[in-house]
Amino acid sequence: MSSPADHTTVIVGAGPAGLTAALGLARYRHPVIVVDSPRAPRNSASAGVHGHIGMDGVTPDEFRARAWRELSRYRTVERLEDEVDSVSTAPGGGFRITLGSGGSVESATVLLATGVLDVHPSDVDGFAECWGRSVIHCPFCLGEENAGGSWATLADNAHLAGLSAVAFRAWSEDTIAICPESMPGLDTARATARSGGGDVVTGTVRRLHHRQGALYGIELADGRILERQTLVWTPPQRQQPLVQRAADELKLTVDDAGFIGVDDSQCTSVPGLYAAGDLTSRWKQSVTASTAAGAAAADAIHTSALLSAVHQ
């Protein structure tokens, strides 16, 4: 008769969700293999992780280093520094994980915790240098570090454009929205913004003027330069190629934006295949949300292994 300790899980990704799940499973003495990509993590441009109690302000590198130091105390956790090329069902049950180095691993359960990819603009000079510093994707994450200066936000719908002056007032009393000239509801958005002390400007961003990543001007396609110190720019996102392949080949449920569908236990539409973190939701992307999802997945995986052992 097998036990939960015979039930190996492979975790693909070593961000907050994957590392938290690994710790939870380790506490259950559950065998875990964490495949940690050697590529720089998505948040590598950030100067600090924020909003997570006990870790507020630590760098992404320090966050990961602390996590690995803690996990190194558990004998059931193995770290593989490698890429994952594919996740497929194994002939005898469970899953086969093909590694970029050419090998493969089989496991009863897989947790996808890869995060997502931000699609950065290729035609805006200065974007890369400012990203994660003075060009921010969310005020909660980096608003405090950019508070007090003049802000702009890119908006392609009237509701967001109109609300930006009010929504960002906690961090800036001088906020504008930059919108396409053809955006429906432009007059209403401008009136709403002005009523809250802000404004709406139309145009297309072409260049960001900065000093070593510190923004001071936003140049539009027509040559106008808006003096701004912070730009809120939420870029489109897409799944990691591995996740997209798995979704296509395993027929995973995804929403209209391509995010992986999961139930309350973080299980996908394929039994035994879990997903946690940013790849499951566009609007629940924070360290705290990811760690909570990783912990929930660990509990569910252990419970499933326990029930499987009991019924064998």
Side-chain angles (χ1 to χ4, degrees):
M1 180 177 179
S2 66
S3 74
D6 300 322
H7 186 110
T8 300
T9 294
V10 169
I11 298 175
V12 184
L19 293 170
T20 301
L23 180 59
L25 289 169
R27 297 292 300 172
Y28 287 124
R29 293 194 162 186
H30 183 118
V32 179
I33 298 171
V34 183
V35 186
D36 185 6
S37 170
R39 290 179 290 117
R42 175 180 166 221
N43 66 349
S44 58
S46 175
V49 171
H50 298 289
H52 195 66
I53 193 68
M55 301 286 268
D56 191 57
V58 303
T59 66
D61 283 347
E62 177 59 19
F63 183 98
R64 284 164 47 84
R66 288 188 192 183
W68 281 118
R69 284 198 297 271
E70 293 169 3
L71 288 169
S72 68
R73 300 198 296 264
Y74 294 90
R75 61 179 178 80
T76 62
V77 178
E78 178 183 355
R79 180 183 186 181
L80 284 182
E81 294 190 72
D82 208 333
E83 300 284 358
V84 172
D85 282 346
S86 66
V87 176
S88 58
T89 53
F95 300 91
R96 174 174 291 132
I97 297 87
T98 304
L99 303 173
S101 59
S104 65
V105 179
E106 293 197 2
S107 67
T109 306
V110 171
L111 171 62
L112 298 174
T114 61
V116 291
L117 296 172
D118 293 310
V119 182
H120 293 174
S122 59
D123 58 349
V124 178
D125 291 340
F127 183 92
E129 293 83 353
C130 295
W131 176 248
R133 297 171 176 83
S134 53
V135 175
I136 65 177
H137 72 291
C138 105
F140 177 80
C141 298
L142 290 169
E144 181 68 23
E145 289 63 43
N146 287 271
S150 56
W151 283 34
T153 181
L154 287 191
D156 58 5
N157 70 80
H159 180 70
L160 176 60
L163 286 181
S164 61
V166 176
F168 300 151
R169 184 162 294 279
W171 301 281
S172 173
E173 295 184 357
D174 182 4
T175 301
I176 63 173
I178 303 174
C179 306
E181 293 183 4
S182 59
M183 185 184 75
L186 186 60
D187 291 340
T188 300
R190 182 175 284 115
T192 302
R194 287 176 176 174
S195 70
D199 205 351
V200 170
V201 175
T202 58
T204 302
V205 176
R206 280 290 174 259
R207 183 181 179 189
L208 301 179
H209 296 265
H210 65 94
R211 297 181 183 90
Q212 296 183 327
L215 180 70
Y216 65 86
I218 300 172
E219 184 175 335
L220 304 181
D222 61 8
R224 286 177 293 161
I225 296 179
L226 309 174
E227 294 183 1
R228 298 284 112 178
Q229 295 168 304
T230 300
L231 174 60
V232 181
W233 186 321
T234 305
Q237 295 179 339
R238 60 182 175 85
Q239 296 289 357
Q240 296 278 359
L242 158 71
V243 176
Q244 188 59 62
R245 288 194 297 272
D248 293 340
E249 294 169 8
L250 299 176
K251 310 301 182 185
L252 299 182
T253 298
V254 299
D255 66 15
D256 292 341
F259 290 89
I260 304 300
V262 294
D263 62 18
D264 290 343
S265 70
Q266 303 299 135
C267 191
T268 70
S269 53
V270 174
L273 180 59
Y274 294 76
D278 294 353
L279 76 167
T280 67
S281 173
R282 181 67 183 85
W283 305 114
K284 294 182 179 180
Q285 296 188 359
S286 70
V287 172
T288 302
S290 291
T291 55
D299 284 344
I301 290 169
H302 175 70
T303 299
S304 178
L306 181 63
L307 293 175
S308 178
V310 168
H311 289 104
Q312 283 189 355

